[in-house]
C-alpha cells in the first residue's frame, strides 16, 4: 500500500530525534525550518548539530535512548546506527500512537521522510517506494521545472498582484533570471518589448493576454505613454501584469518611467533585474569590458542621438580622454559621427572596436575594426540593430584569446 502523504505543520510542536549522526544532521535543519521544537537524544552529536545546540535551537540529552523519551512528542525520528535501538524507539512510539520514521528500515517504519524541496510557497515532497535516491532525483527535476517556469504553476487562490518589471536578459532565453521566469509563468498579461526573449512567449498559457510593445527603429512603435496606461489598466482589472523587457529594465529600458506611472496609480510594482546586454553581449563575443592592466572602468552610453545633437547629454570629450572601455548602445546608425567625435577629442584612430549584432543569439556575428575604419566596415558588412559597439583595448584581449585557441587546434 502506498503512503498517505500529509503536510505536517510542526510549529511549536515537540519532535524527538534519537541519534546524533549524519542522518540526524540532515533531518534536524528541515524540522527547525518547519518550526518544530527539536529534542535530540544521543551520547554524541556531529559538529553541525553541536552548533545548533550551542545556538539554543536544539535541546540535547547527551545519553542513550530511554523508554519515556517519546512522551509529549508529535513525531519521532529513529536515526541511530543500532537496529535494536531503532526498533525499541519505534515500538514505544507505536504504543503511544506517535508517528515514527525509522532511518534504517523502510518496511518497518510507520512513516517515511520524503525528499522535499521548496520554491516560494510551493512545497514538493516525493516518496519513491522508499528509494531515497530516486525520490531525490524526481524532487530535483520538479523543483528545477518550478524554478525556471517550465511547469505551469500559476496561482488560483493567492495570485500575485500589480506589475512586475522583468529584465529578460540580452536575447538568449536561457539567460533570463530564475525569478523572472517564475513570474512570467504566473502572468495574466505579458507586455513584451521587441528585444525581450521572444522564445519564452511560446511557453505562455493560451489564456495569457500578450501585448506587443515593440519599438521598431524608424518603424512602428507603441508610445511609452500607451504602454504605461496598459500596465495600469490591466493591473486595475485585478490581473497580474509582467512587463518583459530586453536586458535590464533600468539600463536604457525606461523602467523608471513605468515604475513611476504605476506608483502614481497606486499599483504595486516588483522589479526583477536582468542581465544587461552592455556586459553580456561583449562577453558572448569573448571581450571582457574590464581587464587587469588594460581597463579599470567602462562606460555604458546610449547613442539614440548623435554627439552633435543638442539633445545629447553625453560628455563626449571626456569619453575620448578616458582610458576606459566604451560600450555604445543604439549606435549603429550614428557610428560614423561617434568615431569622428572620439578621434577629434583625443582617442587614437587605431583604437580597436568590435560591433556585435544579435548578441547571445544563434544569429550573432561580429565585426572588428579600428575607430577610423569601423563605420565603413560595419556598413559593408550590413550590420543592423540590435548591436553593441565596444571601443577600447579590451577588444585586443578577445582577439588574443581567439589566437590562443586557434594555436591549440589540431
Amino acid at each position: 500500500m502506498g503512503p498517505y502523504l500529509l503536510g505536517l505543520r510542526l510549529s511549536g510542536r515537540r519532535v524527538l530525534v534519537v541519534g546524533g549522526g549524519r542522518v540526524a544532521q540532515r533531518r534536524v535543519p528541515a524540522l527547525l525550518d518547519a518550526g518544530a521544537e527539536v529534542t535530540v537524544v544521543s551520547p554524541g552529536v556531529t559538529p553541525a548539530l553541536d552548533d545548533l545546540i550551542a545556538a539554543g535551537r536544539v535541546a540535547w540529552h547527551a545519553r542513550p535512548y530511554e523508554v519515556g523519551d517519546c512522551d509529549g512528542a508529535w513525531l519521532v525520528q529513529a536515526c541511530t546506527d543500532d537496529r535494536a535501538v531503532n526498533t525499541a524507539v519505534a515500538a514505544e512510539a507505536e504504543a503511544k500512537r506517535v508517528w515514527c520514521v525509522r532511518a534504517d528500515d523502510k518496511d518497518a517504519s510507520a512513516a517515511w521522510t520524503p525528499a522535499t524541496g521548496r520554491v516560494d510557497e510551493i512545497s514538493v515532497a516525493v516518496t519513491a517506494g522508499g528509494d531515497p535516491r530516486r525520490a531525490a532525483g524526481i524532487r530535483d527535476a520538479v523543483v528545477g521545472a518550478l524554478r525556471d517556469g517550465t511547469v505551469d504553476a500559476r496561482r488560483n487562490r493567492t495570485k500575485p498582484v500589480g506589475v512586475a518589471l522583468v529584465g529578460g536578459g540580452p536575447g538568449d532565453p536561457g539567460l533570463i533570471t530564475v525569478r523572472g521566469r517564475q513570474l512570467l509563468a504566473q502572468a495574466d498579461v505579458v507586455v513584451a518589448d521587441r528585444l525581450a526573449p521572444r522564445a519564452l512567449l511560446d511557453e505562455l498559457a493560451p489564456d495569457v493576454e500578450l501585448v506587443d510593445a515593440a519599438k521598431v527603429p524608424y518603424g512602428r512603435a507603441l508610445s511609452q505613454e500607451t504602454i504605461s496606461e496598459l500596465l495600469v489598466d490591466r493591473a486595475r482589472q485585478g490581473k497580474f501584469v509582467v512587463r518583459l523587457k530586453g536586458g535590464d529594465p533600468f539600463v536604457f529600458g525606461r523602467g523608471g518611467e513605468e515604475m513611476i506611472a504605476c506608483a502614481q496609480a497606486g499599483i504595486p510594482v516588483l522589479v526583477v533585474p536582468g542581465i544587461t546586454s552592455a556586459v553580456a553581449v561583449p562577453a558572448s563575443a569573448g571581450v571582457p569590458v574590464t581587464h587587469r592592466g588594460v581597463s579599470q572602468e567602462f562606460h555604458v552610453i546610449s547613442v539614440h542621438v548623435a554627439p552633435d545633437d543638442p539633445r545629447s547629454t553625453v560628455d563626449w570629450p571626456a569619453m575620448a580622454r578616458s582610458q576606459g572601455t566604451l560600450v555604445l548602445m543604439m549606435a549603429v546608425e550614428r557610428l560614423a559621427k561617434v568615431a569622428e567625435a572620439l578621434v577629434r577629442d583625443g582617442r587614437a584612430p587605431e583604437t580597436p572596436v568590435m560591433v556585435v549584432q544579435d548578441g547571445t543569439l544563434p544569429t550573432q556575428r561580429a565585426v572588428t575594426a579600428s575607430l577610423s575604419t569601423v563605420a565603413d566596415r560595419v556598413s559593408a558588412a550590413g550590420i543592423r540593430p540590435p548591436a553593441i559597439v565596444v571601443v577600447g583595448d579590451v577588444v585586443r584581449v578577445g582577439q588574443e584569446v581567439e589566437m590562443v585557441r586557434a594555436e591549440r587546434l589540431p
Side-chain angles (χ1 to χ4, degrees):
M1 302 289 288
Y4 181 81
L5 298 183
L6 187 69
L8 297 181
R9 303 181 69 183
L10 294 175
S11 182
R13 291 180 167 89
R14 182 174 183 265
V15 175
L16 173 68
V17 177
V18 181
R22 289 179 295 174
V23 175
Q25 177 180 308
R26 290 199 305 269
R27 295 189 178 176
V28 166
L31 294 168
L32 293 174
D33 288 344
E37 295 182 356
V38 178
T39 297
V40 172
V41 173
S42 178
V45 294
T46 66
L49 287 174
D50 198 26
D51 284 344
L52 294 173
I53 293 164
R57 300 189 63 194
V58 174
W60 180 31
H61 299 312
R63 56 169 174 77
Y65 159 76
E66 297 175 357
V67 174
D69 283 337
C70 293
D71 289 346
W74 292 74
L75 176 67
V76 174
Q77 298 263 356
C79 302
T80 76
D81 57 4
D82 188 321
R83 182 176 179 83
V85 172
N86 290 340
T87 299
V89 172
E92 181 188 353
E94 185 76 14
K96 294 176 177 177
R97 297 189 175 183
V98 178
W99 290 106
C100 178
V101 179
R102 285 188 61 162
D104 63 332
D105 190 338
K106 69 180 180 67
D107 295 321
S109 184
W112 293 341
T113 299
T116 60
R118 189 172 178 86
V119 180
D120 293 332
E121 77 286 357
I122 301 173
S123 295
V124 175
V126 180
T127 61
D131 183 338
R133 288 180 181 269
R134 187 183 183 201
I138 297 170
R139 181 269 321 274
D140 291 344
V142 174
V143 167
L146 285 169
R147 283 179 175 159
D148 65 22
T150 55
V151 166
D152 183 2
R154 285 189 292 168
R155 297 174 176 87
N156 289 312
R157 293 185 178 179
T158 56
K159 292 169 51 178
V161 296
V163 173
L165 304 179
V166 176
D172 181 340
L175 295 178
I176 190 174
T177 64
V178 170
R179 183 61 171 156
R181 194 151 187 175
Q182 288 172 352
L183 292 176
L184 192 61
Q186 298 288 337
D188 298 309
V189 181
V190 175
V191 182
D193 273 354
R194 180 177 66 95
L195 299 181
R198 311 295 289 188
L200 295 178
L201 302 180
D202 290 338
E203 300 175 3
L204 298 175
D207 61 337
V208 175
E209 179 185 1
L210 177 60
V211 179
D212 186 354
K215 292 186 176 73
V216 180
Y218 313 108
R220 68 181 186 86
L222 203 61
S223 71
Q224 187 59 50
E225 293 74 16
T226 301
I227 292 172
S228 296
E229 290 170 2
L230 275 167
L231 300 179
V232 171
D233 175 71
R234 299 303 191 271
R236 279 178 170 165
Q237 294 178 28
K239 298 178 179 180
F240 177 52
V241 184
V242 169
R243 176 71 169 106
L244 183 62
K245 297 172 170 288
D248 181 274
F250 288 174
V251 180
F252 304 124
R254 305 188 74 169
E257 297 171 53
E258 294 166 356
M259 184 172 63
I260 290 171
C262 290
Q264 289 173 338
I267 303 298
V269 178
L270 172 65
V271 178
V272 180
I275 301 173
T276 175
S277 57
V279 175
V281 170
S284 70
V287 175
V289 293
T290 63
H291 190 75
R292 185 177 181 182
V294 176
S295 177
Q296 299 181 31
E297 58 183 330
F298 68 98
H299 307 266
V300 181
I301 304 165
S302 168
V303 195
H304 65 282
V305 294
D308 58 357
D309 192 301
R311 295 170 294 172
S312 176
T313 61
V314 179
D315 187 345
W316 286 104
M319 294 300 98
R321 293 191 301 270
S322 168
Q323 297 302 306
T325 305
L326 306 184
V327 180
L328 312 179
M329 306 176 75
M330 297 170 277
V332 170
E333 300 293 337
R334 290 161 285 277
L335 194 51
K337 289 189 175 182
V338 169
E340 179 185 346
L342 290 173
V343 171
R344 181 188 64 234
D345 291 322
R347 278 266 179 164
E350 62 272 15
T351 301
V353 182
M354 175 178 281
V355 183
V356 186
Q357 177 183 321
D358 293 341
T360 76
L361 296 174
T363 53
Q364 174 178 311
R365 60 182 182 134
V367 169
T368 304
S370 67
L371 199 54
S372 61
T373 63
V374 66
D376 291 338
R377 289 288 303 278
V378 164
S379 177
I383 297 291
R384 302 292 298 168
I388 298 294
V389 180
V390 186
V391 180
D393 289 337
V394 290
V395 173
R396 292 197 179 98
V397 176
Q399 293 173 321
E400 180 182 347
V401 171
E402 289 302 315
M403 290 175 60
V404 172
R405 286 175 175 168
E407 291 172 356
R408 290 182 174 273
L409 290 176

